[in-house]
Structure formats: structure tokens, C-alpha cells
Amino acid sequence: MSLKAGIIGLPNVGKSTLFNAITKKNILAANYPFATIDPNVGVVTVPDSRLEFLENLYLPERTIPTTFEFTDIAGLVKGASKGEGLGNKFLSHIREVDAVVEVVRCFDDADIIHVEGAVNPIRDIEIINVELILADLEIVENRIGKIEKKAETTKDKDTVLELNALTKAKKSLDQNIPLRQVEFSEDELEAIKSFNFITLKPLIYAANVNEDDAVLGENAYTRKVAEYAEKDNASVIVMCAKMESELVELSEQERKAFLQDLGIEYAGLDKLIFATYNLLGLETFFTVGKDEVRAWTFKKGMKAPACAGIIHSDFERGFIKAEVTSFNDLEELGNEKAVKESGKLRLEGKDYIMQDGDICYFRFNV
């Protein structure tokens, strides 16, 4: 299951530095706008302590964590919706992601140029949000113009549904309200799904601070961002991209010791990865054995056959049953034998809704 989170923001807010840290890659991170011209895609490992337990229990030949993609997208400037800067290219790239991480500069540094002349995180957020709203509004208005007459004359059910959803979207966007704040029915969401509206995507604000404020966990700028995000139905992660890029160069043991010395429980990157994973509605199930222990990503609410299909389409097509053990039961009881003897090993059918932490063996026949 390939899911993507896109990193956006004004130029020089720390997007590429953050991306470098996330993917441990060394892409260009220069102190001028548009240092990142094409989207850079990196695969991110989701930290999961459960894998370590399973690895120690089964001693497999290989252990494969679950992953998803982060895409670093070129910096946006005022007027992007009208093609300013790399606007049109930027907007086409961001339509392809599943969730948005908006990096907001929340630190002062005279040596790093701010494209708007001074640090003001709310102004920066609103510049980007207005451009995204205008980009979505253009699509909405164009589509309404094409189907309005057909909906009125033919009364076609699907066309009428689409028009109603688009009319609701236009009313919101005209009032400068992003579509993620609008209550659409499931049918309406399905009707407008193909347009990939940017403001309908879930959003996290990554407040980029200096090292001292990362330890404190906030500053005057981040408090303003948190207030804004609450009204926007979005969450905020406070982090220092520069410190995160230095942390990834350390060994795991050195990294833990460094964070402990600072009194920080989780690195900013880990918090961002967890938050993005949750934002996308993702959960994890496991397959285990001597050859491989592996974590698999699935969408919350998926049933067992669909999850089996993530491994191989034949597993879904010929699904019979799933042998399921809860990770918590295995951890508590210590091994498979104890789980079976306690009656905690379950046989689940086609209607079983998979749960985070399920350990599965799928029975199938094709």
C-alpha cells in the first residue's frame, strides 16, 4: 500500500532540511528559493518497538518494517495559483499526495533570508492556504460550468450529486474555508474524489524552531500556530529540522542518550512520522516466521481479505480464514504455544475488521 505525505511551505522555512533528516538523504538544501525544483521522494520507516520484540522472539533471517513515502515539494510563493514561481508545477505535485505536512518557520535567524522579509508564521500559513484554496476554486468553477446545464436538463442522479457537492465546495472556498472543514456525505466525497482537491487533504503543521525551543517544546510563534491549527482541524508538531538532521547521523544508542540528556522523550521526526501515519488513518499488522518478520500497512477499517490482498492478490481472491493473534497477548504470554493454550489464537472470517497489532497467518486456496 503506497501512501504519500507531501512536505510544503514557503521557500527557506526548512522543508529540505527536514526532508534530508526524514529520509537520511542529502538533497540540495540551499539558502535561496526553489533549491528544490523537482519533487524528491523518500521512503520513511515507521518506528515500531513491537518489531524488536517479534525479532527477538522469532530470530528471523530478515525483519521488514512498515513504510510510507514523504515527498519534498518545491517552495510555494504568493501567486502560485496564477503560475507565479513554480506554482502550477507545485500544485500538480501536491495533488498527488494523500496528506500534507506544512512546514512553518517559527525561528529568528538574520542569516537565513525570509522570502516575505520577516518571520510571521500566521501570515506564511495564510499565504499558502489562500493559494491552495484559489487552486481548488478554479477547478470547482470550471467543472460546475461544464455540468450545470446537464444536471438541470437530464436530472441524471450522478451528475446532480456531483453538482451539489461542487456547489457546497464553491460556497466554502468562496468564504476562504478549506474543504477539509466542510461536512460532505460519503456519496459526495466519492463524487468529487477524482479532482484530488488539495484543501480536502488532511494537514499537519510542522513548526520549525531553533534547538533551544525544541527542548522547551514551544515558543511565542508555535503558540500562535497551535491556536490557528485548532480552528483549522489540524495538528501541530514542534520540531527543529536542523537538530533532527544532526540526530540522524548518530547511532541509535547515541541518539537515545542525546535525547535523554535533553529531557526529550521522542525525537521530532518520530513524532511527525507517528502523527502523519495516524493522520492517514493507517494501522499495522504483522506476519511472522523464521524466514521473515514483517510489518504491513493497512487502512483502518479494512477487512481481513483486503489486508491479505496487500501481501498478494491470490491471498484475497482465495481467502478462507485468518489465524489471528493480538500482539498484546503474545507479548504478555511470551510465545505462540502459550497463546494457543490460553485460547487466545483466533480463527477469523471474511467479515473480520483487522485491528492494529494483529499477527496473522492467512489461509487461502486458488
Side-chain angles (χ1 to χ4, degrees):
M1 178 175 288
S2 179
L3 289 157
K4 297 179 182 179
I7 303 175
I8 68 168
L10 293 176
N12 295 346
V13 297
K15 289 189 308 82
S16 294
T17 303
L18 175 60
F19 181 81
N20 288 347
I22 286 174
T23 61
K24 301 184 182 180
K25 289 186 178 181
N26 188 28
I27 61 165
L28 181 63
N31 180 24
Y32 56 89
F34 314 130
T36 308
I37 303 299
D38 295 313
N40 295 272
V41 180
V43 177
V44 176
T45 297
V46 180
D48 195 328
S49 59
R50 296 173 296 187
L51 269 181
E52 186 177 348
F53 175 86
L54 294 172
E55 187 175 27
N56 290 335
L57 181 62
Y58 289 94
L59 302 176
E61 293 178 14
R62 58 187 178 276
T63 300
I64 304 175
T66 188
T67 62
F68 64 93
E69 293 180 356
F70 267 104
T71 303
D72 179 34
I73 301 170
L76 180 148
V77 293
K78 194 181 294 183
S81 60
K82 302 300 181 185
E84 291 295 324
L86 298 170
N88 293 330
K89 195 171 183 181
F90 167 95
L91 294 168
S92 68
H93 289 148
I94 196 174
R95 290 198 189 283
E96 297 170 5
V97 304
D98 301 291
V100 177
V101 177
E102 187 171 326
V103 182
V104 185
R105 180 168 167 176
C106 292
F107 65 90
D108 293 307
D109 188 333
D111 294 329
I112 300 179
I113 303 161
H114 193 290
V115 71
E116 290 294 320
V119 177
N120 183 332
I122 303 306
R123 177 207 57 212
D124 294 353
I125 288 171
E126 290 182 342
I127 286 173
I128 287 181
N129 288 357
V130 165
E131 295 302 329
L132 301 185
I133 283 170
L134 289 173
D136 279 352
L137 183 59
E138 183 180 3
I139 290 176
V140 167
E141 291 176 339
N142 287 341
R143 183 61 179 169
I144 287 176
K146 289 179 180 178
I147 68 168
E148 195 168 21
K149 191 171 183 179
K150 179 183 176 182
E152 290 174 357
T153 55
T154 68
K155 305 297 182 184
D156 176 72
K157 182 182 175 182
D158 291 339
T159 307
V160 171
L161 176 65
E162 182 185 340
L163 180 62
N164 289 340
L166 290 171
T167 302
K168 185 187 288 189
K170 184 179 185 308
K171 182 179 178 182
S172 169
L173 295 169
D174 279 337
Q175 295 173 0
N176 208 31
I177 299 171
L179 297 182
R180 61 181 164 272
Q181 294 186 24
V182 180
E183 288 189 20
F184 291 104
S185 69
E186 287 187 20
D187 288 341
E188 286 174 333
L189 286 173
E190 187 62 32
I192 61 176
K193 181 179 178 181
S194 62
F195 299 111
N196 288 325
F197 289 125
I198 301 171
T199 66
L200 193 56
K201 299 177 187 296
L203 174 71
I204 290 178
Y205 291 110
N208 187 19
V209 299
N210 62 30
E211 290 95 328
D212 292 340
D213 291 336
V215 175
L216 293 172
E218 65 173 9
N219 62 23
Y221 293 137
T222 66
R223 287 191 288 273
K224 290 179 181 178
V225 173
E227 289 174 10
Y228 188 96
E230 189 175 356
K231 298 172 187 174
D232 195 16
N233 294 330
S235 56
V236 180
I237 300 295
V238 177
M239 60 192 305
C240 174
K242 183 174 181 290
M243 185 168 77
E244 298 297 329
S245 67
E246 294 167 353
L247 278 173
V248 294
E249 302 300 326
L250 304 177
S251 68
E252 186 64 24
Q253 189 174 358
E254 289 172 330
R255 186 166 163 266
K256 285 180 180 178
F258 181 80
L259 291 172
Q260 192 171 17
D261 287 345
L262 292 176
I264 299 175
E265 186 176 1
Y266 294 108
L269 277 184
D270 290 345
K271 290 190 289 185
L272 181 62
I273 292 169
F274 291 142
T276 308
Y277 199 69
N278 290 331
L279 188 69
L280 290 171
L282 303 180
E283 294 183 327
T284 304
F285 74 89
F286 302 95
T287 52
V288 297
K290 290 294 182 185
D291 57 336
E292 179 183 280
V293 165
R294 182 163 183 167
W296 301 86
T297 300
F298 70 99
K299 275 273 192 182
K300 187 174 182 179
M302 285 177 66
K303 293 183 179 180
C307 286
I310 293 171
I311 300 174
H312 197 287
S313 58
D314 285 350
F315 286 21
E316 181 173 11
R317 188 158 53 93
F319 180 89
I320 300 171
K321 292 283 185 182
E323 293 182 12
V324 182
T325 300
S326 164
F327 173 83
N328 290 339
D329 290 337
L330 181 62
E331 184 180 40
E332 180 184 344
L333 297 170
N335 56 61
E336 284 185 6
K337 183 181 178 184
V339 169
K340 288 178 183 177
E341 289 175 350
S342 69
K344 296 290 180 71
L345 175 65
R346 312 187 310 274
L347 272 182
E348 302 289 359
K350 293 182 178 180
D351 291 330
Y352 175 67
I353 296 174
M354 292 282 284
Q355 301 298 309
D356 184 59
D358 280 349
I359 301 167
C360 300
Y361 173 77
F362 295 106
R363 297 182 186 177
F364 72 103
N365 184 34
V366 290

